[in-house]
Amino acid sequence: MKLSALMAAVVANEKANGNGHNEYAPVFNHTAETDPDICSIHYRSQTVQPGGLFVAVPGHRADGHDYIEDAMERGAVAAVVQRVSSHEGIFLKVPDTRQALAQISAAFYSHPSEALSVIGVTGTNGKTTVTYLVESILTAAGLSPGVIGTVNCRYAGMTQESPVTTPESLDLQRLLFQMKTAGVTHVIMEVSSHAIDLFRVASCRFDIGAFTNLSQDHLDYHRTMEAYWACKRRFFTEYLQKGPKAKTALAVVNTDNHWGDDLLAVLHPAAGRVPISYGHRPNSDVRPLTVSVEKTGIQGELMTPAGPVGIQSRLVGGHNLENILCAVSIGVGLALPVPAIEKGILNVSSIPGRLEQIWNDAKRFVYVDYAHTPDALENVLKTLHAISDQRIICVFGCGGDRDAEKRPQMGRIAGKWCDVTVITSDNPRTESVTAIIEQILTGIQQTASKPIAADEATAPGKGYLVLPDRREAITWAIRVATPGDMVLVAGKGHETYQIIGTEKRPFDDRIIAREALLALEERTN
């Protein structure tokens, strides 16, 4: 594709859809070829191939403008920039290269999201579980779903690793194009607040946007809950309600919290379809009629605009009932048959790293969960507390270089709901593990009765223990558990690594837990 044709396609599409667009001002610096063929798009100079277009994106740690020379040496025929350099070549100057990257990538891949049914799920907690449930419902309906999320990206029998919850715009548009080519009909995507704020999902056309909930997270980035919420809200007001699908786009909103009420209040009634609300309120569009939440799962009947929907699920906990309500609402919004919705819910027996049980013969109930926010941790612990008649032992830490305000909150929550809490490392990154633990301790000391030593683990009363080494902490918690005890390893869930400094080291809570359980079984046999 010629550079001029690519730029014309970008501007025409954005104008046609009523979106704000970059003005592409060409600047030529001593080059004979003024309209080269563009063979590929790049935002990292080290990936540039001959004939590529390099988009210089400013980042938190590095600025793409500092790598223009490297990109040109590798064969870039033009660059999109926010400021023009003195290098030889063709430069297209724009106000915001992140936004331009999204627009150019969508045009380069012929706007694949317009040919797909795209479902975006946003919120602090529950996104991953909802995507698994909706994927199962779509499969039961005979459709071909693809998923883009925290655990992985998967479609048509293929699986790719997910380095971030929502890919960068170029990677996202490429993936959508690959999905469309492979025959995918529907894409379910986890949409993070970073993806909204950094234009990763700009120029992606959504059919459904679902809001799960909002609680404290990412304040290292957004600074305040109000700014965090404003970012989430933009997904609906700026992305869902604009573009070629705006008049048919549907919002699915959890009204069990005031954030959902706020969202419904700002959605323009004429911009798209009437939103579907879900929750426990009598006026929610999708709500429980007769539902029981037991230690073996969730079952009962929901009321929906499509009529009653029966649910049977092996997922446990009130928070998973909310996730099921969201998934059912999406299924109803897609006008899928009720039997397919019911079968889809039934077919999901577990979610990777979401209250994932580590089965064993030692009669210990061991779960690994991704809970890394105060709200998520409390929801999981409440669930275990409701089904447990013995001790709850929790192992958790907090990530470094992330929201520090939630650390004492999570400490208070663990101390409140657990009999024994083992405070350890998570992904400390470049922060001191000791400093992170000290902040957690300021919270847990308000709710747990005392610090304990290893030989006091079976004593009555609540207590906490500090073991900075995560492997040691998991092993210790399982070793001291008695038959019938519940052990929750929280914070990392499905992750297969631990980030220490800037190094990503292999580490999987599930593997460590299985090793500890095998050792325990060997000792007791």
Side-chain angles (χ1 to χ4, degrees):
M1 179 183 288
K2 289 290 186 179
L3 177 61
S4 60
L6 177 61
M7 293 303 106
V10 168
V11 174
N13 185 271
E14 293 300 317
K15 284 184 175 178
N17 291 310
N19 293 331
H21 60 279
N22 280 292
E23 294 294 339
Y24 292 83
V27 178
F28 304 107
N29 287 355
H30 312 293
T31 181
E33 175 59 77
T34 58
D35 194 15
D37 286 313
I38 301 299
C39 303
S40 54
I41 313 294
H42 307 271
Y43 62 90
R44 291 192 178 98
S45 66
Q46 64 268 33
T47 69
V48 170
Q49 300 172 3
L53 173 65
F54 178 63
V55 183
V57 176
H60 295 295
R61 294 187 174 87
D63 187 340
H65 293 80
D66 297 332
Y67 297 89
I68 291 173
E69 184 176 3
D70 181 55
M72 296 297 187
E73 288 176 353
R74 292 174 185 269
V77 294
V80 180
V81 298
Q82 291 178 190
R83 60 179 187 274
V84 178
S85 72
S86 59
H87 298 294
E88 261 192 29
I90 302 173
F91 297 93
L92 298 173
K93 187 173 182 296
V94 298
D96 193 312
T97 51
R98 281 196 176 277
Q99 185 179 11
L101 178 64
Q103 295 167 343
I104 291 168
S105 301
F108 185 80
Y109 287 106
S110 302
H111 301 281
S113 65
E114 295 182 10
L116 296 162
S117 182
V118 184
I119 302 144
V121 183
T122 196
T124 307
N125 301 311
K127 297 187 296 295
T128 297
T129 298
V130 170
T131 61
Y132 271 85
L133 289 166
V134 175
E135 176 189 28
S136 182
I137 290 171
L138 290 166
T139 301
L143 299 165
S144 178
V147 177
I148 301 171
T150 305
V151 175
N152 55 40
C153 299
R154 54 192 185 275
Y155 64 97
M158 295 179 283
T159 302
Q160 301 176 14
E161 182 182 350
S162 291
V164 292
T165 296
T166 313
E168 184 56 79
S169 59
L170 171 61
D171 305 316
L172 174 60
Q173 295 295 337
R174 183 191 301 114
L175 183 55
L176 291 171
F177 175 78
Q178 292 168 346
M179 287 182 171
K180 184 186 76 168
T181 303
V184 167
T185 59
H186 293 68
V187 177
I188 316 106
M189 183 193 313
E190 293 185 47
V191 180
S192 67
S193 59
H194 290 76
I196 299 165
D197 196 52
L198 299 175
F199 294 104
R200 292 178 190 168
V201 292
S203 298
C204 184
R205 313 307 182 193
F206 291 90
D207 296 81
I208 294 181
F211 169 68
T212 60
N213 51 63
L214 194 83
S215 62
Q216 183 169 332
D217 198 15
H218 305 306
L219 294 195
D220 56 303
Y221 181 87
H222 297 289
R223 301 302 177 191
T224 67
M225 284 297 294
E226 289 71 21
Y228 180 31
W229 170 235
C231 180
K232 289 288 190 185
R233 191 172 56 211
R234 279 177 49 209
F235 173 65
F236 297 89
T237 59
E238 294 186 16
Y239 293 133
L240 187 66
Q241 293 194 326
K242 290 187 178 181
K245 299 178 180 179
K247 291 185 178 179
T248 58
L250 172 69
V252 170
V253 182
N254 181 1
T255 53
D256 276 348
N257 59 86
H258 71 89
W259 304 105
D261 292 333
D262 180 65
L263 179 58
L264 289 174
V266 300
L267 289 176
H268 196 286
R273 294 164 60 189
V274 176
I276 292 179
S277 63
Y278 71 90
H280 291 77
R281 297 180 183 177
N283 62 343
S284 295
D285 297 315
V286 178
R287 60 189 184 275
L289 286 178
T290 54
V291 174
S292 61
V293 181
E294 308 291 343
K295 64 174 63 178
T296 55
I298 302 169
Q299 59 183 357
E301 189 174 60
L302 309 180
M303 175 54 71
T304 81
V309 174
I311 56 168
Q312 282 187 296
S313 174
R314 288 182 60 184
L315 304 181
V316 298
H319 63 294
N320 274 322
L321 174 56
E322 278 198 5
N323 294 330
I324 290 170
L325 288 169
C326 182
V328 169
S329 300
I330 292 170
V332 169
L334 291 169
L336 298 178
V338 168
I341 296 174
E342 294 173 337
K343 183 179 179 182
I345 299 297
L346 175 65
N347 286 347
V348 177
S349 58
S350 65
I351 311 292
R354 273 68 180 173
L355 263 187
E356 184 175 354
Q357 188 165 2
I358 310 300
W359 298 99
N360 62 88
D361 295 326
K363 298 180 181 178
R364 275 71 169 175
F365 297 92
V366 180
Y367 299 90
V368 171
D369 194 87
Y370 191 54
H372 61 284
T373 68
D375 186 60
L377 183 62
E378 186 159 36
N379 283 336
V380 171
L381 289 173
K382 282 182 177 178
T383 294
L384 296 183
H385 196 268
I387 62 178
S388 174
D389 51 13
Q390 290 190 224
R391 293 190 307 169
I392 296 176
I393 302 171
C394 178
V395 180
F396 89 101
C398 291
D401 302 333
R402 297 293 186 268
D403 181 7
E405 291 183 15
K406 67 182 181 182
R407 296 168 186 171
Q409 293 182 44
M410 293 179 71
R412 283 194 297 272
I413 289 165
K416 175 182 178 181
W417 292 101
C418 301
D419 296 282
V420 177
T421 304
V422 188
I423 305 171
T424 188
S425 61
D426 188 282
N427 291 319
R429 299 183 178 87
T430 62
E431 274 197 79
S432 160
V433 174
T434 302
I436 295 171
I437 289 174
E438 285 297 326
Q439 290 176 302
I440 296 172
L441 287 174
T442 62
I444 199 168
Q445 287 164 352
Q446 299 174 29
T447 49
S449 59
K450 61 177 181 177
I452 60 174
D455 57 359
E456 296 179 295
T458 58
K462 294 184 177 183
Y464 59 91
L465 175 70
V466 173
L467 289 174
D469 183 280
R470 192 172 181 90
R471 177 185 292 270
E472 182 185 358
I474 295 170
T475 303
W476 183 90
I478 290 174
R479 185 176 67 245
V480 303
T482 56
D485 283 349
M486 288 187 168
V487 178
L488 173 67
V489 183
K492 291 174 55 60
H494 64 280
E495 291 180 352
T496 58
Y497 56 83
Q498 187 174 28
I499 305 173
I500 299 176
T502 57
E503 182 184 357
K504 184 181 284 189
R505 304 177 184 178
F507 194 100
D508 191 320
D509 286 351
R510 296 164 295 186
I511 293 175
I512 307 304
R514 288 189 190 101
E515 291 173 351
L517 285 164
L518 285 173
L520 182 63
E521 290 169 8
E522 289 174 1
R523 285 198 303 271
T524 55
N525 288 338

